[in-house]
Short mmCIF file of all heavy atoms in Angstrom, two decimals:
data_model
loop_
_atom_site.label_atom_id
_atom_site.label_comp_id
_atom_site.label_asym_id
_atom_site.label_seq_id
_atom_site.Cartn_x
_atom_site.Cartn_y
_atom_site.Cartn_z
N ALA A 406 16.29 -12.54 93.76
CA ALA A 406 17.10 -11.67 94.50
C ALA A 406 18.33 -12.38 95.05
O ALA A 406 18.23 -13.58 95.46
CB ALA A 406 16.36 -11.04 95.64
N LEU A 407 19.47 -11.70 95.14
CA LEU A 407 20.76 -12.18 95.77
C LEU A 407 21.02 -11.26 96.90
O LEU A 407 21.02 -10.08 96.81
CB LEU A 407 21.89 -12.25 94.84
CG LEU A 407 23.31 -12.33 95.42
CD1 LEU A 407 23.47 -13.70 96.12
CD2 LEU A 407 24.36 -12.26 94.34
N ARG A 408 21.32 -11.78 98.15
CA ARG A 408 21.78 -11.06 99.28
C ARG A 408 23.05 -11.57 99.76
O ARG A 408 23.27 -12.76 100.01
CB ARG A 408 20.81 -11.12 100.42
CG ARG A 408 21.05 -10.27 101.64
CD ARG A 408 20.10 -10.31 102.67
NE ARG A 408 20.43 -9.54 103.94
CZ ARG A 408 20.21 -8.21 104.01
NH1 ARG A 408 19.52 -7.53 103.12
NH2 ARG A 408 20.55 -7.62 105.15
N VAL A 409 24.08 -10.68 99.79
CA VAL A 409 25.45 -11.04 100.29
C VAL A 409 25.65 -10.18 101.62
O VAL A 409 25.66 -8.96 101.63
CB VAL A 409 26.46 -10.74 99.30
CG1 VAL A 409 27.90 -11.17 99.79
CG2 VAL A 409 26.18 -11.34 97.86
N GLU A 410 25.93 -10.94 102.81
CA GLU A 410 26.02 -10.20 103.96
C GLU A 410 27.18 -10.75 104.84
O GLU A 410 27.42 -11.96 104.87
CB GLU A 410 24.69 -10.31 104.75
CG GLU A 410 24.23 -11.65 105.01
CD GLU A 410 22.85 -11.72 105.60
OE1 GLU A 410 22.19 -10.70 105.62
OE2 GLU A 410 22.36 -12.79 105.97
N HIS A 411 27.81 -9.88 105.60
CA HIS A 411 28.79 -10.27 106.58
C HIS A 411 29.99 -11.14 105.96
O HIS A 411 30.34 -12.11 106.47
CB HIS A 411 28.16 -11.01 107.72
CG HIS A 411 27.09 -10.22 108.52
ND1 HIS A 411 27.33 -9.15 109.29
CD2 HIS A 411 25.75 -10.48 108.52
CE1 HIS A 411 26.25 -8.71 109.80
NE2 HIS A 411 25.21 -9.51 109.27
N CYS A 412 30.45 -10.66 104.94
CA CYS A 412 31.49 -11.31 104.23
C CYS A 412 32.71 -10.46 104.10
O CYS A 412 32.63 -9.24 104.12
CB CYS A 412 31.06 -11.69 102.71
SG CYS A 412 29.83 -13.02 102.66
N GLU A 413 33.89 -11.07 104.00
CA GLU A 413 35.26 -10.39 103.90
C GLU A 413 36.06 -11.02 102.72
O GLU A 413 36.15 -12.23 102.60
CB GLU A 413 36.01 -10.52 105.20
CG GLU A 413 35.48 -9.69 106.30
CD GLU A 413 36.51 -9.43 107.49
OE1 GLU A 413 37.60 -9.87 107.28
OE2 GLU A 413 36.19 -8.77 108.46
N ARG A 414 36.55 -10.10 101.92
CA ARG A 414 37.55 -10.45 100.83
C ARG A 414 36.91 -11.58 99.94
O ARG A 414 37.51 -12.59 99.60
CB ARG A 414 38.83 -10.91 101.38
CG ARG A 414 39.51 -9.79 102.28
CD ARG A 414 40.88 -10.26 102.74
NE ARG A 414 40.76 -11.40 103.63
CZ ARG A 414 40.45 -11.39 104.89
NH1 ARG A 414 40.17 -10.21 105.49
NH2 ARG A 414 40.39 -12.50 105.60
N VAL A 415 35.68 -11.41 99.69
CA VAL A 415 34.92 -12.32 98.81
C VAL A 415 34.68 -11.73 97.44
O VAL A 415 34.41 -10.57 97.34
CB VAL A 415 33.54 -12.74 99.50
CG1 VAL A 415 32.61 -13.49 98.46
CG2 VAL A 415 33.78 -13.64 100.70
N HIS A 416 34.85 -12.55 96.41
CA HIS A 416 34.49 -12.18 94.97
C HIS A 416 33.33 -12.88 94.66
O HIS A 416 33.18 -14.14 94.72
CB HIS A 416 35.62 -12.56 94.09
CG HIS A 416 36.91 -11.61 94.13
ND1 HIS A 416 37.80 -11.51 93.14
CD2 HIS A 416 37.25 -10.84 95.15
CE1 HIS A 416 38.69 -10.61 93.54
NE2 HIS A 416 38.48 -10.18 94.74
N VAL A 417 32.23 -12.07 94.24
CA VAL A 417 31.01 -12.74 93.81
C VAL A 417 30.78 -12.33 92.34
O VAL A 417 30.81 -11.23 91.89
CB VAL A 417 29.75 -12.20 94.68
CG1 VAL A 417 28.49 -12.75 94.12
CG2 VAL A 417 29.92 -12.56 96.14
N ILE A 418 30.56 -13.33 91.50
CA ILE A 418 30.24 -13.22 90.08
C ILE A 418 28.92 -13.69 89.79
O ILE A 418 28.63 -14.91 89.95
CB ILE A 418 31.24 -13.95 89.26
CG1 ILE A 418 32.81 -13.56 89.61
CG2 ILE A 418 31.13 -13.72 87.81
CD1 ILE A 418 33.85 -14.35 88.89
N THR A 419 27.96 -12.92 89.35
CA THR A 419 26.62 -13.33 89.18
C THR A 419 25.84 -12.52 88.15
O THR A 419 26.18 -11.31 87.99
CB THR A 419 25.86 -13.17 90.47
OG1 THR A 419 24.54 -13.80 90.30
CG2 THR A 419 25.68 -11.83 91.03
N ALA A 420 24.94 -13.20 87.44
CA ALA A 420 23.83 -12.51 86.70
C ALA A 420 22.63 -12.59 87.50
O ALA A 420 22.27 -13.74 87.96
CB ALA A 420 23.70 -13.19 85.33
N ALA A 421 21.90 -11.54 87.86
CA ALA A 421 20.89 -11.53 88.80
C ALA A 421 19.86 -10.41 88.50
O ALA A 421 20.18 -9.34 87.91
CB ALA A 421 21.42 -11.35 90.19
N LYS A 422 18.67 -10.55 88.95
CA LYS A 422 17.64 -9.47 88.77
C LYS A 422 18.00 -8.33 89.77
O LYS A 422 17.92 -7.22 89.36
CB LYS A 422 16.22 -10.15 89.11
CG LYS A 422 15.07 -9.09 89.15
CD LYS A 422 14.74 -8.56 87.79
CE LYS A 422 14.10 -9.75 86.83
NZ LYS A 422 12.76 -10.11 87.34
N ARG A 423 18.29 -8.68 90.98
CA ARG A 423 18.56 -7.71 92.05
C ARG A 423 19.65 -8.16 93.01
O ARG A 423 19.69 -9.41 93.24
CB ARG A 423 17.38 -7.07 92.69
CG ARG A 423 16.62 -8.15 93.47
CD ARG A 423 15.37 -7.62 94.13
NE ARG A 423 15.61 -6.81 95.32
CZ ARG A 423 15.47 -5.49 95.33
NH1 ARG A 423 15.13 -4.78 94.38
NH2 ARG A 423 15.73 -4.85 96.51
N VAL A 424 20.52 -7.33 93.59
CA VAL A 424 21.57 -7.74 94.46
C VAL A 424 21.53 -6.75 95.62
O VAL A 424 21.46 -5.56 95.44
CB VAL A 424 22.91 -7.64 93.73
CG1 VAL A 424 24.06 -7.95 94.73
CG2 VAL A 424 22.99 -8.65 92.56
N CYS A 425 21.58 -7.32 96.82
CA CYS A 425 21.69 -6.48 98.06
C CYS A 425 23.06 -6.95 98.74
O CYS A 425 23.25 -8.07 99.04
CB CYS A 425 20.57 -6.72 98.96
SG CYS A 425 20.69 -5.82 100.53
N ILE A 426 23.81 -5.86 99.04
CA ILE A 426 25.17 -6.06 99.74
C ILE A 426 25.05 -5.41 101.13
O ILE A 426 24.80 -4.22 101.17
CB ILE A 426 26.29 -5.40 98.89
CG1 ILE A 426 26.30 -6.01 97.46
CG2 ILE A 426 27.63 -5.62 99.57
CD1 ILE A 426 27.22 -5.28 96.56
N ALA A 427 25.33 -6.17 102.13
CA ALA A 427 25.13 -5.72 103.47
C ALA A 427 26.32 -6.15 104.36
O ALA A 427 26.70 -7.33 104.45
CB ALA A 427 23.88 -6.30 104.11
#
Side-chain angles (χ1 to χ4, degrees):
L407 163 65
R408 182 177 178 89
V409 183
E410 57 188 8
H411 302 291
C412 292
E413 287 199 2
R414 300 180 301 279
V415 165
H416 286 200
V417 176
I418 304 171
T419 186
K422 177 70 70 67
R423 60 184 282 108
V424 174
C425 179
I426 301 166

